[in-house]
Each structure stands twice: as structure tokens, then as C-alpha cells.
Amino acid sequence: HATGHVHLVRHAAAGDRTTWKGDDRERPLTKKGRLQADAIADLLEPRIASMVVSSPYVRCVETGRPLANRLGIDVDVTGFLEEGSGGRGFFEFVESRPREEVVMVSHGDVIPAIIDRLGNRGVPLTTRAPDGRLDCKKASDWMLTTRNGHVVAAEYIPPPDV
């Protein structure tokens, strides 16, 4: 079978949107967020992703950049991971890359929308969180296993300790 993985990573810590002055799309990672982004790269680098795809928001691109830099690839920006998109286009994108290891960086509204759709399709959802929660904390990873371009399992991996 043609198996692959998609890592749906929520952007790392980026401060409070209510205190950020300016366009929210430009809000960068905080110091903690940069440490989280490096820790995500530590965890995912051995998997040798073929692509790092991100929402166009600065905090998402900055979350994916350390991994992309280590792999010698660019962060590809796409609208279907953008806040408010509902993840429309996600399934078509995944189905077109059946054997790949893809890292996607997105938001706390998009990732749960995708996970809900997977659950509704009967995909088993599991978690490594000690409290057993299916969550979407900043810097967390939903590792989706694909077979022939279709998601067959989803596992929540809590954020790295930094």
C-alpha cells in the first residue's frame, strides 16, 4: 500500500491577538514560540518531510521555517490552511500526494474542523496526551496516516515541552 503521513501542526505561541497592534496576519512568534518551532523541527526532522506547507500568516510560516531550513526546502504557502478557511481543499491536496510525508502548519479553527470531518468519516482518532484529550494546543501535531491518499488514522501529539 502507498502509505504516507500528514502532520497537521498548530502554529507555535504567538502572543495575544488582543494586544497585537497591526494586521493579525503579521503577528510573529514569541520567544517561547520560536523555542517550540525548533522543538517541532527536532521531532519531525527524522521523518524527512517532502513538503512544509503553511497558512500565509507569519506565525505559521515561522513555525514551519526551522524544519524547512534543516531539510533544505522552502515553506510553501497555501490558502486552504488560512484562518477562517475551514480547511477547504485539504482532502484534495492530501489525495494528490499519496506517499508523501507532509507537514502542514495552520490555526486553531482550521485543524479542529479537519479533525471533525475525519471523525465524521469514521477515521479513528487517538491521543498521546496524558489526560486522554483530543486537543489542538499551540505547537501540537495531529499525525495523520494516509493510505493511497486517504486518511486512515489520526493521532494527537501534545506540544513539545520547552
Side-chain angles (χ1 to χ4, degrees):
H1 292 291
T3 58
H5 291 96
V6 175
H7 297 269
L8 267 179
V9 175
R10 184 170 175 198
H11 68 77
D16 186 349
R17 79 171 60 220
T18 61
T19 58
W20 172 252
K21 308 285 189 243
D23 187 342
D24 190 54
R25 295 169 175 269
E26 302 297 320
R27 184 162 43 100
L29 296 180
T30 61
K31 182 178 180 187
K32 178 181 179 178
R34 290 190 300 276
L35 292 171
Q36 288 174 323
D38 285 336
I40 290 165
D42 291 342
L43 292 170
L44 295 179
E45 183 180 17
R47 302 193 70 97
I48 310 178
S50 54
M51 296 182 78
V52 177
V53 186
S54 173
S55 157
Y57 286 51
V58 167
R59 58 190 174 269
C60 292
V61 174
E62 288 182 344
T63 299
R65 187 169 289 130
L67 176 63
N69 287 347
R70 291 183 196 187
L71 297 172
I73 60 178
D74 291 326
V75 175
D76 295 309
V77 170
T78 183
F80 74 81
L81 295 173
E82 191 170 342
E83 200 169 66
S85 72
R88 284 181 297 283
F90 168 81
F91 289 99
E92 295 81 358
F93 185 91
V94 171
E95 288 166 8
S96 70
R97 290 159 180 80
R99 290 178 193 82
E100 294 190 46
E101 189 89 20
V102 178
V103 174
M104 298 183 178
V105 186
S106 190
H107 301 269
D109 65 325
V110 176
I111 294 170
I114 292 169
I115 298 303
D116 283 347
R117 276 191 274 161
L118 291 172
N120 291 337
R121 291 179 174 198
V123 173
L125 308 177
T126 59
T127 182
R128 292 186 195 173
D131 61 7
R133 291 187 56 174
L134 300 175
D135 214 335
C136 188
K137 289 183 167 40
K138 289 180 182 170
S140 65
D141 175 13
W142 271 95
M143 184 175 72
L144 312 180
T145 302
T146 63
R147 189 168 293 124
N148 299 320
H150 298 282
V151 178
V152 296
E155 182 179 18
Y156 176 70
I157 302 166
D161 291 322
V162 295

PDB file of all heavy atoms in Angstrom, residues 28-64:
ATOM      1  N   PRO A  28       3.986  37.791  14.844  1.00  0.00           N
ATOM      2  CA  PRO A  28       5.064  36.798  14.833  1.00  0.00           C
ATOM      3  C   PRO A  28       5.035  35.890  16.067  1.00  0.00           C
ATOM      4  O   PRO A  28       4.285  36.118  17.013  1.00  0.00           O
ATOM      5  CB  PRO A  28       6.323  37.670  14.862  1.00  0.00           C
ATOM      6  CG  PRO A  28       5.904  38.849  15.697  1.00  0.00           C
ATOM      7  CD  PRO A  28       4.441  39.095  15.342  1.00  0.00           C
ATOM      8  N   LEU A  29       5.875  34.881  16.034  1.00  0.00           N
ATOM      9  CA  LEU A  29       6.056  34.022  17.199  1.00  0.00           C
ATOM     10  C   LEU A  29       6.715  34.794  18.330  1.00  0.00           C
ATOM     11  O   LEU A  29       7.519  35.701  18.094  1.00  0.00           O
ATOM     12  CB  LEU A  29       6.930  32.812  16.849  1.00  0.00           C
ATOM     13  CG  LEU A  29       6.382  31.827  15.827  1.00  0.00           C
ATOM     14  CD1 LEU A  29       7.377  30.688  15.615  1.00  0.00           C
ATOM     15  CD2 LEU A  29       5.021  31.292  16.239  1.00  0.00           C
ATOM     16  N   THR A  30       6.420  34.392  19.549  1.00  0.00           N
ATOM     17  CA  THR A  30       7.106  34.909  20.727  1.00  0.00           C
ATOM     18  C   THR A  30       8.396  34.105  20.916  1.00  0.00           C
ATOM     19  O   THR A  30       8.663  33.147  20.177  1.00  0.00           O
ATOM     20  CB  THR A  30       6.226  34.740  21.975  1.00  0.00           C
ATOM     21  OG1 THR A  30       5.976  33.340  22.149  1.00  0.00           O
ATOM     22  CG2 THR A  30       4.919  35.503  21.853  1.00  0.00           C
ATOM     23  N   LYS A  31       9.171  34.468  21.934  1.00  0.00           N
ATOM     24  CA  LYS A  31      10.377  33.694  22.248  1.00  0.00           C
ATOM     25  C   LYS A  31      10.010  32.232  22.507  1.00  0.00           C
ATOM     26  O   LYS A  31      10.661  31.316  21.988  1.00  0.00           O
ATOM     27  CB  LYS A  31      11.091  34.296  23.463  1.00  0.00           C
ATOM     28  CG  LYS A  31      12.373  33.561  23.803  1.00  0.00           C
ATOM     29  CD  LYS A  31      13.103  34.192  24.983  1.00  0.00           C
ATOM     30  CE  LYS A  31      14.363  33.395  25.260  1.00  0.00           C
ATOM     31  NZ  LYS A  31      15.047  33.831  26.469  1.00  0.00           N
ATOM     32  N   LYS A  32       8.962  31.999  23.300  1.00  0.00           N
ATOM     33  CA  LYS A  32       8.511  30.627  23.554  1.00  0.00           C
ATOM     34  C   LYS A  32       8.110  29.945  22.241  1.00  0.00           C
ATOM     35  O   LYS A  32       8.423  28.773  22.016  1.00  0.00           O
ATOM     36  CB  LYS A  32       7.323  30.609  24.522  1.00  0.00           C
ATOM     37  CG  LYS A  32       6.789  29.207  24.767  1.00  0.00           C
ATOM     38  CD  LYS A  32       5.597  29.182  25.710  1.00  0.00           C
ATOM     39  CE  LYS A  32       5.109  27.751  25.892  1.00  0.00           C
ATOM     40  NZ  LYS A  32       3.981  27.664  26.824  1.00  0.00           N
ATOM     41  N   GLY A  33       7.430  30.675  21.376  1.00  0.00           N
ATOM     42  CA  GLY A  33       7.024  30.124  20.088  1.00  0.00           C
ATOM     43  C   GLY A  33       8.206  29.700  19.231  1.00  0.00           C
ATOM     44  O   GLY A  33       8.168  28.661  18.566  1.00  0.00           O
ATOM     45  N   ARG A  34       9.272  30.512  19.253  1.00  0.00           N
ATOM     46  CA  ARG A  34      10.473  30.145  18.483  1.00  0.00           C
ATOM     47  C   ARG A  34      11.109  28.877  19.049  1.00  0.00           C
ATOM     48  O   ARG A  34      11.580  28.014  18.294  1.00  0.00           O
ATOM     49  CB  ARG A  34      11.459  31.311  18.438  1.00  0.00           C
ATOM     50  CG  ARG A  34      10.941  32.467  17.579  1.00  0.00           C
ATOM     51  CD  ARG A  34      11.982  33.546  17.319  1.00  0.00           C
ATOM     52  NE  ARG A  34      12.499  34.170  18.531  1.00  0.00           N
ATOM     53  CZ  ARG A  34      11.922  35.179  19.176  1.00  0.00           C
ATOM     54  NH1 ARG A  34      10.779  35.683  18.735  1.00  0.00           N
ATOM     55  NH2 ARG A  34      12.468  35.691  20.252  1.00  0.00           N
ATOM     56  N   LEU A  35      11.120  28.756  20.385  1.00  0.00           N
ATOM     57  CA  LEU A  35      11.634  27.520  21.005  1.00  0.00           C
ATOM     58  C   LEU A  35      10.756  26.325  20.625  1.00  0.00           C
ATOM     59  O   LEU A  35      11.267  25.237  20.339  1.00  0.00           O
ATOM     60  CB  LEU A  35      11.674  27.669  22.529  1.00  0.00           C
ATOM     61  CG  LEU A  35      12.697  28.666  23.079  1.00  0.00           C
ATOM     62  CD1 LEU A  35      12.483  28.871  24.581  1.00  0.00           C
ATOM     63  CD2 LEU A  35      14.122  28.203  22.794  1.00  0.00           C
ATOM     64  N   GLN A  36       9.438  26.531  20.607  1.00  0.00           N
ATOM     65  CA  GLN A  36       8.530  25.453  20.196  1.00  0.00           C
ATOM     66  C   GLN A  36       8.773  25.054  18.739  1.00  0.00           C
ATOM     67  O   GLN A  36       8.779  23.869  18.409  1.00  0.00           O
ATOM     68  CB  GLN A  36       7.067  25.881  20.382  1.00  0.00           C
ATOM     69  CG  GLN A  36       6.621  25.945  21.818  1.00  0.00           C
ATOM     70  CD  GLN A  36       5.219  26.516  21.950  1.00  0.00           C
ATOM     71  OE1 GLN A  36       4.830  27.435  21.224  1.00  0.00           O
ATOM     72  NE2 GLN A  36       4.457  25.968  22.897  1.00  0.00           N
ATOM     73  N   ALA A  37       8.977  26.047  17.871  1.00  0.00           N
ATOM     74  CA  ALA A  37       9.218  25.760  16.453  1.00  0.00           C
ATOM     75  C   ALA A  37      10.495  24.929  16.280  1.00  0.00           C
ATOM     76  O   ALA A  37      10.527  23.984  15.475  1.00  0.00           O
ATOM     77  CB  ALA A  37       9.299  27.056  15.645  1.00  0.00           C
ATOM     78  N   ASP A  38      11.538  25.255  17.037  1.00  0.00           N
ATOM     79  CA  ASP A  38      12.774  24.466  16.987  1.00  0.00           C
ATOM     80  C   ASP A  38      12.536  23.050  17.503  1.00  0.00           C
ATOM     81  O   ASP A  38      13.062  22.078  16.950  1.00  0.00           O
ATOM     82  CB  ASP A  38      13.886  25.136  17.794  1.00  0.00           C
ATOM     83  CG  ASP A  38      14.480  26.337  17.082  1.00  0.00           C
ATOM     84  OD1 ASP A  38      14.399  26.405  15.838  1.00  0.00           O
ATOM     85  OD2 ASP A  38      15.023  27.223  17.775  1.00  0.00           O
ATOM     86  N   ALA A  39      11.739  22.921  18.571  1.00  0.00           N
ATOM     87  CA  ALA A  39      11.440  21.599  19.129  1.00  0.00           C
ATOM     88  C   ALA A  39      10.609  20.758  18.153  1.00  0.00           C
ATOM     89  O   ALA A  39      10.816  19.546  18.030  1.00  0.00           O
ATOM     90  CB  ALA A  39      10.717  21.739  20.470  1.00  0.00           C
ATOM     91  N   ILE A  40       9.684  21.397  17.445  1.00  0.00           N
ATOM     92  CA  ILE A  40       8.909  20.701  16.412  1.00  0.00           C
ATOM     93  C   ILE A  40       9.854  20.190  15.326  1.00  0.00           C
ATOM     94  O   ILE A  40       9.741  19.053  14.866  1.00  0.00           O
ATOM     95  CB  ILE A  40       7.834  21.635  15.818  1.00  0.00           C
ATOM     96  CG1 ILE A  40       6.742  21.894  16.861  1.00  0.00           C
ATOM     97  CG2 ILE A  40       7.236  21.051  14.542  1.00  0.00           C
ATOM     98  CD1 ILE A  40       5.838  23.075  16.511  1.00  0.00           C
ATOM     99  N   ALA A  41      10.803  21.032  14.931  1.00  0.00           N
ATOM    100  CA  ALA A  41      11.790  20.611  13.928  1.00  0.00           C
ATOM    101  C   ALA A  41      12.594  19.409  14.433  1.00  0.00           C
ATOM    102  O   ALA A  41      12.849  18.464  13.682  1.00  0.00           O
ATOM    103  CB  ALA A  41      12.713  21.771  13.567  1.00  0.00           C
ATOM    104  N   ASP A  42      12.964  19.424  15.722  1.00  0.00           N
ATOM    105  CA  ASP A  42      13.689  18.282  16.303  1.00  0.00           C
ATOM    106  C   ASP A  42      12.873  16.998  16.168  1.00  0.00           C
ATOM    107  O   ASP A  42      13.415  15.940  15.845  1.00  0.00           O
ATOM    108  CB  ASP A  42      13.988  18.507  17.792  1.00  0.00           C
ATOM    109  CG  ASP A  42      15.010  19.605  18.046  1.00  0.00           C
ATOM    110  OD1 ASP A  42      15.753  19.972  17.112  1.00  0.00           O
ATOM    111  OD2 ASP A  42      15.057  20.093  19.193  1.00  0.00           O
ATOM    112  N   LEU A  43      11.579  17.100  16.451  1.00  0.00           N
ATOM    113  CA  LEU A  43      10.716  15.918  16.425  1.00  0.00           C
ATOM    114  C   LEU A  43      10.443  15.423  15.005  1.00  0.00           C
ATOM    115  O   LEU A  43      10.379  14.215  14.765  1.00  0.00           O
ATOM    116  CB  LEU A  43       9.377  16.233  17.103  1.00  0.00           C
ATOM    117  CG  LEU A  43       9.428  16.480  18.604  1.00  0.00           C
ATOM    118  CD1 LEU A  43       8.091  17.027  19.097  1.00  0.00           C
ATOM    119  CD2 LEU A  43       9.786  15.203  19.347  1.00  0.00           C
ATOM    120  N   LEU A  44      10.267  16.352  14.067  1.00  0.00           N
ATOM    121  CA  LEU A  44       9.836  15.956  12.724  1.00  0.00           C
ATOM    122  C   LEU A  44      10.967  15.795  11.713  1.00  0.00           C
ATOM    123  O   LEU A  44      10.794  15.133  10.699  1.00  0.00           O
ATOM    124  CB  LEU A  44       8.798  16.949  12.193  1.00  0.00           C
ATOM    125  CG  LEU A  44       7.473  16.974  12.968  1.00  0.00           C
ATOM    126  CD1 LEU A  44       6.520  18.004  12.364  1.00  0.00           C
ATOM    127  CD2 LEU A  44       6.833  15.602  13.016  1.00  0.00           C
ATOM    128  N   GLU A  45      12.138  16.357  12.000  1.00  0.00           N
ATOM    129  CA  GLU A  45      13.256  16.256  11.048  1.00  0.00           C
ATOM    130  C   GLU A  45      13.588  14.812  10.672  1.00  0.00           C
ATOM    131  O   GLU A  45      13.804  14.519   9.490  1.00  0.00           O
ATOM    132  CB  GLU A  45      14.494  16.961  11.595  1.00  0.00           C
ATOM    133  CG  GLU A  45      15.662  16.952  10.622  1.00  0.00           C
ATOM    134  CD  GLU A  45      16.900  17.646  11.176  1.00  0.00           C
ATOM    135  OE1 GLU A  45      16.991  17.859  12.399  1.00  0.00           O
ATOM    136  OE2 GLU A  45      17.777  17.959  10.364  1.00  0.00           O
ATOM    137  N   PRO A  46      13.602  13.858  11.629  1.00  0.00           N
ATOM    138  CA  PRO A  46      13.932  12.478  11.249  1.00  0.00           C
ATOM    139  C   PRO A  46      12.927  11.856  10.273  1.00  0.00           C
ATOM    140  O   PRO A  46      13.230  10.863   9.618  1.00  0.00           O
ATOM    141  CB  PRO A  46      13.921  11.713  12.577  1.00  0.00           C
ATOM    142  CG  PRO A  46      14.081  12.755  13.633  1.00  0.00           C
ATOM    143  CD  PRO A  46      13.464  13.998  13.078  1.00  0.00           C
ATOM    144  N   ARG A  47      11.734  12.411  10.189  1.00  0.00           N
ATOM    145  CA  ARG A  47      10.717  11.872   9.297  1.00  0.00           C
ATOM    146  C   ARG A  47      10.949  12.294   7.845  1.00  0.00           C
ATOM    147  O   ARG A  47      10.316  11.778   6.930  1.00  0.00           O
ATOM    148  CB  ARG A  47       9.332  12.296   9.769  1.00  0.00           C
ATOM    149  CG  ARG A  47       9.065  11.831  11.216  1.00  0.00           C
ATOM    150  CD  ARG A  47       7.629  11.952  11.570  1.00  0.00           C
ATOM    151  NE  ARG A  47       6.851  10.976  10.844  1.00  0.00           N
ATOM    152  CZ  ARG A  47       6.477   9.788  11.332  1.00  0.00           C
ATOM    153  NH1 ARG A  47       6.809   9.436  12.542  1.00  0.00           N
ATOM    154  NH2 ARG A  47       5.760   8.961  10.594  1.00  0.00           N
ATOM    155  N   ILE A  48      11.840  13.267   7.635  1.00  0.00           N
ATOM    156  CA  ILE A  48      12.232  13.755   6.315  1.00  0.00           C
ATOM    157  C   ILE A  48      11.020  14.108   5.458  1.00  0.00           C
ATOM    158  O   ILE A  48      10.682  13.431   4.487  1.00  0.00           O
ATOM    159  CB  ILE A  48      13.179  12.767   5.589  1.00  0.00           C
ATOM    160  CG1 ILE A  48      14.316  12.374   6.530  1.00  0.00           C
ATOM    161  CG2 ILE A  48      13.730  13.401   4.318  1.00  0.00           C
ATOM    162  CD1 ILE A  48      15.282  11.368   5.969  1.00  0.00           C
ATOM    163  N   ALA A  49      10.362  15.158   5.856  1.00  0.00           N
ATOM    164  CA  ALA A  49       9.198  15.641   5.117  1.00  0.00           C
ATOM    165  C   ALA A  49       9.596  16.047   3.705  1.00  0.00           C
ATOM    166  O   ALA A  49      10.678  16.588   3.486  1.00  0.00           O
ATOM    167  CB  ALA A  49       8.574  16.833   5.844  1.00  0.00           C
ATOM    168  N   SER A  50       8.712  15.778   2.757  1.00  0.00           N
ATOM    169  CA  SER A  50       8.948  16.212   1.386  1.00  0.00           C
ATOM    170  C   SER A  50       8.450  17.634   1.173  1.00  0.00           C
ATOM    171  O   SER A  50       8.880  18.309   0.245  1.00  0.00           O
ATOM    172  CB  SER A  50       8.258  15.266   0.406  1.00  0.00           C
ATOM    173  OG  SER A  50       6.883  15.144   0.720  1.00  0.00           O
ATOM    174  N   MET A  51       7.524  18.073   2.035  1.00  0.00           N
ATOM    175  CA  MET A  51       6.975  19.416   1.919  1.00  0.00           C
ATOM    176  C   MET A  51       6.656  19.969   3.305  1.00  0.00           C
ATOM    177  O   MET A  51       6.213  19.219   4.174  1.00  0.00           O
ATOM    178  CB  MET A  51       5.649  19.415   1.143  1.00  0.00           C
ATOM    179  CG  MET A  51       5.712  18.994  -0.281  1.00  0.00           C
ATOM    180  SD  MET A  51       4.040  19.140  -1.022  1.00  0.00           S
ATOM    181  CE  MET A  51       3.988  20.912  -1.294  1.00  0.00           C
ATOM    182  N   VAL A  52       6.860  21.275   3.465  1.00  0.00           N
ATOM    183  CA  VAL A  52       6.340  22.007   4.612  1.00  0.00           C
ATOM    184  C   VAL A  52       5.406  23.055   4.011  1.00  0.00           C
ATOM    185  O   VAL A  52       5.833  23.927   3.260  1.00  0.00           O
ATOM    186  CB  VAL A  52       7.455  22.667   5.452  1.00  0.00           C
ATOM    187  CG1 VAL A  52       6.847  23.484   6.594  1.00  0.00           C
ATOM    188  CG2 VAL A  52       8.412  21.614   5.997  1.00  0.00           C
ATOM    189  N   VAL A  53       4.111  22.911   4.326  1.00  0.00           N
ATOM    190  CA  VAL A  53       3.078  23.764   3.763  1.00  0.00           C
ATOM    191  C   VAL A  53       2.483  24.575   4.909  1.00  0.00           C
ATOM    192  O   VAL A  53       2.273  24.039   5.998  1.00  0.00           O
ATOM    193  CB  VAL A  53       1.975  22.911   3.090  1.00  0.00           C
ATOM    194  CG1 VAL A  53       0.970  23.785   2.377  1.00  0.00           C
ATOM    195  CG2 VAL A  53       2.584  21.913   2.126  1.00  0.00           C
ATOM    196  N   SER A  54       2.198  25.839   4.672  1.00  0.00           N
ATOM    197  CA  SER A  54       1.768  26.710   5.756  1.00  0.00           C
ATOM    198  C   SER A  54       0.662  27.654   5.323  1.00  0.00           C
ATOM    199  O   SER A  54       0.580  28.062   4.158  1.00  0.00           O
ATOM    200  CB  SER A  54       2.967  27.533   6.237  1.00  0.00           C
ATOM    201  OG  SER A  54       2.592  28.505   7.176  1.00  0.00           O
ATOM    202  N   SER A  55      -0.145  28.046   6.302  1.00  0.00           N
ATOM    203  CA  SER A  55      -1.000  29.216   6.155  1.00  0.00           C
ATOM    204  C   SER A  55      -0.091  30.398   5.845  1.00  0.00           C
ATOM    205  O   SER A  55       1.057  30.433   6.280  1.00  0.00           O
ATOM    206  CB  SER A  55      -1.738  29.441   7.479  1.00  0.00           C
ATOM    207  OG  SER A  55      -2.157  30.781   7.602  1.00  0.00           O
ATOM    208  N   PRO A  56      -0.594  31.410   5.133  1.00  0.00           N
ATOM    209  CA  PRO A  56       0.249  32.572   4.848  1.00  0.00           C
ATOM    210  C   PRO A  56       0.537  33.461   6.056  1.00  0.00           C
ATOM    211  O   PRO A  56       1.376  34.356   5.971  1.00  0.00           O
ATOM    212  CB  PRO A  56      -0.556  33.343   3.789  1.00  0.00           C
ATOM    213  CG  PRO A  56      -1.942  32.826   3.858  1.00  0.00           C
ATOM    214  CD  PRO A  56      -1.886  31.454   4.438  1.00  0.00           C
ATOM    215  N   TYR A  57      -0.112  33.223   7.190  1.00  0.00           N
ATOM    216  CA  TYR A  57       0.113  34.049   8.378  1.00  0.00           C
ATOM    217  C   TYR A  57       1.555  33.880   8.870  1.00  0.00           C
ATOM    218  O   TYR A  57       2.082  32.762   8.904  1.00  0.00           O
ATOM    219  CB  TYR A  57      -0.851  33.660   9.498  1.00  0.00           C
ATOM    220  CG  TYR A  57      -2.280  34.114   9.288  1.00  0.00           C
ATOM    221  CD1 TYR A  57      -2.958  33.861   8.094  1.00  0.00           C
ATOM    222  CD2 TYR A  57      -2.960  34.777  10.284  1.00  0.00           C
ATOM    223  CE1 TYR A  57      -4.269  34.267   7.906  1.00  0.00           C
ATOM    224  CE2 TYR A  57      -4.279  35.181  10.113  1.00  0.00           C
ATOM    225  CZ  TYR A  57      -4.928  34.926   8.919  1.00  0.00           C
ATOM    226  OH  TYR A  57      -6.231  35.324   8.743  1.00  0.00           O
ATOM    227  N   VAL A  58       2.184  34.987   9.276  1.00  0.00           N
ATOM    228  CA  VAL A  58       3.589  34.993   9.688  1.00  0.00           C
ATOM    229  C   VAL A  58       3.864  33.940  10.760  1.00  0.00           C
ATOM    230  O   VAL A  58       4.859  33.217  10.690  1.00  0.00           O
ATOM    231  CB  VAL A  58       4.011  36.406  10.161  1.00  0.00           C
ATOM    232  CG1 VAL A  58       5.349  36.379  10.882  1.00  0.00           C
ATOM    233  CG2 VAL A  58       4.054  37.363   8.976  1.00  0.00           C
ATOM    234  N   ARG A  59       2.994  33.832  11.766  1.00  0.00           N
ATOM    235  CA  ARG A  59       3.243  32.895  12.862  1.00  0.00           C
ATOM    236  C   ARG A  59       3.270  31.446  12.393  1.00  0.00           C
ATOM    237  O   ARG A  59       3.980  30.624  12.974  1.00  0.00           O
ATOM    238  CB  ARG A  59       2.238  33.100  13.991  1.00  0.00           C
ATOM    239  CG  ARG A  59       0.779  32.945  13.598  1.00  0.00           C
ATOM    240  CD  ARG A  59      -0.126  33.423  14.737  1.00  0.00           C
ATOM    241  NE  ARG A  59      -1.540  33.439  14.418  1.00  0.00           N
ATOM    242  CZ  ARG A  59      -2.199  34.471  13.915  1.00  0.00           C
ATOM    243  NH1 ARG A  59      -1.558  35.590  13.611  1.00  0.00           N
ATOM    244  NH2 ARG A  59      -3.499  34.393  13.693  1.00  0.00           N
ATOM    245  N   CYS A  60       2.527  31.138  11.350  1.00  0.00           N
ATOM    246  CA  CYS A  60       2.534  29.771  10.807  1.00  0.00           C
ATOM    247  C   CYS A  60       3.806  29.514   9.994  1.00  0.00           C
ATOM    248  O   CYS A  60       4.456  28.484  10.156  1.00  0.00           O
ATOM    249  CB  CYS A  60       1.298  29.540   9.940  1.00  0.00           C
ATOM    250  SG  CYS A  60      -0.245  29.521  10.885  1.00  0.00           S
ATOM    251  N   VAL A  61       4.144  30.460   9.129  1.00  0.00           N
ATOM    252  CA  VAL A  61       5.370  30.319   8.333  1.00  0.00           C
ATOM    253  C   VAL A  61       6.580  30.193   9.262  1.00  0.00           C
ATOM    254  O   VAL A  61       7.447  29.336   9.067  1.00  0.00           O
ATOM    255  CB  VAL A  61       5.530  31.503   7.351  1.00  0.00           C
ATOM    256  CG1 VAL A  61       6.877  31.441   6.640  1.00  0.00           C
ATOM    257  CG2 VAL A  61       4.384  31.510   6.340  1.00  0.00           C
ATOM    258  N   GLU A  62       6.626  31.033  10.323  1.00  0.00           N
ATOM    259  CA  GLU A  62       7.745  30.976  11.271  1.00  0.00           C
ATOM    260  C   GLU A  62       7.781  29.648  12.026  1.00  0.00           C
ATOM    261  O   GLU A  62       8.856  29.195  12.417  1.00  0.00           O
ATOM    262  CB  GLU A  62       7.669  32.139  12.265  1.00  0.00           C
ATOM    263  CG  GLU A  62       8.010  33.477  11.649  1.00  0.00           C
ATOM    264  CD  GLU A  62       7.977  34.624  12.653  1.00  0.00           C
ATOM    265  OE1 GLU A  62       7.419  34.463  13.748  1.00  0.00           O
ATOM    266  OE2 GLU A  62       8.525  35.690  12.321  1.00  0.00           O
ATOM    267  N   THR A  63       6.633  29.014  12.243  1.00  0.00           N
ATOM    268  CA  THR A  63       6.603  27.717  12.920  1.00  0.00           C
ATOM    269  C   THR A  63       7.207  26.638  12.019  1.00  0.00           C
ATOM    270  O   THR A  63       7.927  25.760  12.497  1.00  0.00           O
ATOM    271  CB  THR A  63       5.151  27.339  13.310  1.00  0.00           C
ATOM    272  OG1 THR A  63       4.651  28.338  14.221  1.00  0.00           O
ATOM    273  CG2 THR A  63       5.083  25.973  13.971  1.00  0.00           C
ATOM    274  N   GLY A  64       6.948  26.693  10.740  1.00  0.00           N
ATOM    275  CA  GLY A  64       7.462  25.692   9.811  1.00  0.00           C
ATOM    276  C   GLY A  64       8.876  25.923   9.324  1.00  0.00           C
ATOM    277  O   GLY A  64       9.543  24.994   8.867  1.00  0.00           O
TER     278      GLY A  64
END
